[in-house]
Amino acid sequence: MLHADHPLTDANTLGLPCVAERYAAPATLDALREALALARRHDWPLTVLGGGSNLILPARLPGLVLQPAMAQWWLEERDDGIRVHAEAAVEWHALVMALAKRGLWGAENLALIPGHCGAAPIQNIGAYGVELGDLLEAVHLVYLDDGREAVLSASDCAFGYRDSVFKGALSGRMVITRLVLRVSTEPRPRLGYGDLAGRLDPAPTALEVAEAVCAIRREKLPDPATLGNAGSFFKNPLVDGEHARRLLAEHPDLPHFPQPDGRVKLAAGWLIDRCGLKGWRRGHFGVHDRQALVLVHFGGGSTEELLGFAGEVAARVRERFGVVLEREPRRAG
Ligand SMILES: Cc1cc2nc3c(=O)[nH]c(=O)nc-3n(C[C@H](O)[C@H](O)[C@H](O)COP(=O)(O)OP(=O)(O)OC[C@H]3O[C@@H](n4cnc5c(N)ncnc54)[C@H](O)[C@@H]3O)c2cc1C
């Protein structure tokens, strides 16, 4: 069923005011294909919406906004291990906790990442040393132009840091309908990141790891339910080795992570903090006072104001360190 002039202000975690010209939330694959066919017939531009936690919405979204509502998940035992099938609208965090409670390892470091399963491959969600690509086996999708179904393997997804084929060649061309993930009953804690190991026994359960991740994240990140935000607003920048050496000579405490290709990943939050911007507020937006990588919306602001504010933060970092920050949340419309 189509809804006209549907409000999306509560459907994006930044809390940006937005109205969709048309909106549908198909609960089956057939309903999804029907909605796609209708959009094709009328030549409506299409926007796919998940949990709205990584999106910058405009004041009005023309055409049709599709928010898949298929929300089943199930386990499959195969000869070579256990698979999880999760439809697009399954809440990612709820799935992670349900798996960890069953003693299934694989997704526990990705606890408390907001959003729906359907969006998780788009930027290859990652946290605490693990990325979705580490456990993803396949992605089921439907192409927008002809309603054709396809299954992509993990290698087809071209996963990188906050990147995938869904942001490249397949951007705006498909709806992800289901994920297939590999999980295991074999304990395999990955505690090498941050202060995770210090908070846990040497042989924790999957649930203990997930709960420790949640506890750390709650200490650092604002809850979108109380303060509008989209998580990290900027990606951690990659610079060439020479640039990194120059910066490190001047700032030996700059957190840095050498990459296999010789480039070096820098901590964007540190760079913003060192510009004196942590806790900085202008108008309706600010830099979070505990995590400088997160921009927050105090309410009453607009998309243009947010983009102007973010541009100012990025300009200060470029002036001080010569490093270009790239935005992480995607713009819709
Ligand atoms: C407090 C907070 C903390 C966060 N922490 C992390 C973190 O640690 N690591 C991390 O990687 N991310 C993090 N994020 C970002 C965000 O949670 C993830 O990117 C998440 O996967 C977005 O899911 P969503 O359902 O909200 O997607 P949306 O914001 O609704 O959409 C994001 C993009 O995916 C597309 N999309 C959505 N669903 C589908 C679908 N079914 N098929 C095709 N395209 C689709 C949209 O068109 C859009 O381009 C955080 C965000 C917040 C608010």
Side-chain angles (χ1 to χ4, degrees):
M1 194 172 65
L2 285 193
H3 301 264
D5 292 329
H6 185 80
L8 294 178
T9 308
D10 292 337
N12 73 101
T13 60
L14 269 164
L16 293 169
C18 176
V19 172
E21 188 180 5
R22 296 176 198 82
Y23 168 88
T28 64
L29 214 50
D30 284 343
L32 173 71
R33 275 209 228 88
E34 271 172 40
L36 292 178
L38 194 66
R40 276 199 302 277
R41 266 203 305 283
H42 293 277
D43 214 12
W44 292 330
L46 238 155
T47 303
V48 184
L49 178 68
S53 65
N54 206 28
L55 267 179
I56 300 175
L57 298 179
R60 187 166 177 82
L61 265 174
L64 174 62
V65 172
L66 262 186
Q67 190 173 35
M70 304 88 79
Q72 304 292 318
W73 71 271
W74 61 96
L75 296 175
E76 180 197 2
E77 300 242 4
R78 292 191 193 160
D79 290 345
D80 63 345
I82 304 171
R83 303 295 187 277
V84 184
H85 296 255
E87 291 184 322
V90 172
E91 292 280 347
W92 174 260
H93 170 66
L95 178 69
V96 170
M97 296 312 284
L99 296 174
K101 276 183 192 141
R102 284 172 168 77
L104 293 171
W105 291 84
E108 59 285 349
N109 289 38
L110 302 176
L112 214 61
I113 298 182
H116 295 180
C117 286
I122 306 289
Q123 71 157 2
N124 183 24
I125 55 169
Y128 293 92
V130 175
E131 292 182 336
L132 179 78
D134 298 335
L135 63 149
L136 184 124
E137 181 163 281
V139 172
H140 292 240
L141 54 82
V142 172
Y143 287 105
L144 303 186
D145 56 358
D146 57 5
R148 194 167 34 99
E149 282 178 67
V151 183
L152 266 55
S153 68
S155 60
D156 296 330
C157 295
F159 286 130
Y161 166 64
R162 300 290 189 270
D163 200 17
S164 72
V165 71
F166 309 109
K167 286 174 113 178
L170 291 183
S171 176
R173 291 185 49 206
M174 45 78 230
V175 185
I176 292 173
T177 54
R178 197 207 307 172
L179 310 184
V180 185
L181 309 173
R182 264 177 286 105
V183 291
S184 169
T185 51
E186 285 282 299
R188 45 175 183 188
R190 285 151 302 176
L191 311 178
Y193 196 95
D195 50 351
L196 210 44
R199 296 188 179 224
L200 289 160
D201 288 337
T205 64
L207 184 58
E208 284 165 349
V209 176
E211 283 171 345
V213 168
C214 292
I216 298 172
R217 290 180 66 101
R218 285 199 179 99
E219 285 163 20
K220 287 188 182 163
L221 291 171
D223 179 357
T226 52
L227 187 57
N229 76 90
S232 305
F233 199 87
F234 299 102
K235 295 184 193 176
N236 286 323
L238 285 163
V239 299
D240 63 49
E242 181 47 38
H243 191 167
R245 268 189 294 282
R246 278 202 314 272
L247 287 172
L248 282 163
E250 212 180 318
H251 312 280
D253 55 336
L254 165 58
H256 60 288
F257 310 92
Q259 304 296 298
D261 63 3
R263 292 185 298 169
V264 179
K265 194 193 280 179
L266 307 176
W270 187 97
L271 298 171
I272 297 169
D273 189 4
R274 283 306 165 98
C275 290
L277 295 175
K278 198 189 249 181
W280 179 50
R281 176 175 179 171
R282 195 176 65 187
H284 303 96
F285 294 92
V287 176
H288 188 50
D289 55 9
R290 272 176 287 144
Q291 170 52 276
L293 199 46
V294 177
L295 301 191
V296 294
H297 179 200
F298 298 103
S302 67
T303 305
E304 287 64 38
E305 194 187 341
L306 168 65
L307 294 173
F309 183 81
E312 177 82 33
V313 171
R316 300 265 193 105
V317 169
R318 198 172 54 239
E319 273 161 32
R320 171 105 198 258
F321 297 105
V323 174
V324 176
L325 292 185
E326 205 183 313
R327 197 178 57 229
E328 188 181 297
R330 310 191 77 200
R331 278 188 81 176

